[in-house]
Amino acid sequence: QVQLVESGGGLVQPGGSLRLSCAASGSIFSIYLMRWYRQAPGKQREFVATIASNDNTYYADSVKGRFTISRDNAKNTVYLQMNSLKPTDTAVYYCNVDAASSEYAGRENYWGQGTQVTVSS
């Protein structure tokens, strides 16, 4: 089993920045894709960004140029640097990873518990 713990959320003014972290722990053999999703009140959960094990990245159009996803494989951690934040970025942000718990185990998908980001003046 893999556990994910997000941190770094909070209240920020429009135009401000926040950096989210998501640390994976537990039985980890390898982590493949790492992703961030978000869910605003009354809306469906939506994709934000993903990073592969070779550091290739992909972003939703709504955050491209403002958000940067990165990972530290030695710490089993993924980050989301969020700049130029807008009120429309207000949401609960979730970490999501594909990981294997052993050399012989298949990939499984795991979710974190979420961290609240509120952009408001």
Side-chain angles (χ1 to χ4, degrees), residues 14-80:
S17 298
L18 281 175
R19 189 192 194 208
L20 305 183
S21 300
C22 172
S25 62
S27 179
I28 300 172
F29 171 73
S30 186
I31 298 178
Y32 306 99
L33 284 170
M34 306 183 85
R35 311 174 187 87
W36 288 97
Y37 285 79
R38 67 186 181 186
Q39 187 166 17
K43 295 189 176 182
Q44 289 189 330
R45 192 171 298 187
E46 64 175 4
F47 167 80
V48 174
T50 188
I51 184 166
S53 54
N54 63 0
D55 286 341
N56 283 348
T57 58
Y58 183 77
Y59 298 92
D61 287 344
S62 58
V63 306
K64 202 172 294 182
R66 300 188 297 121
F67 291 10
T68 302
I69 189 171
S70 61
R71 62 192 286 170
D72 184 332
N73 292 325
K75 296 182 179 179
N76 291 329
T77 299
V78 61
Y79 305 96
L80 187 68

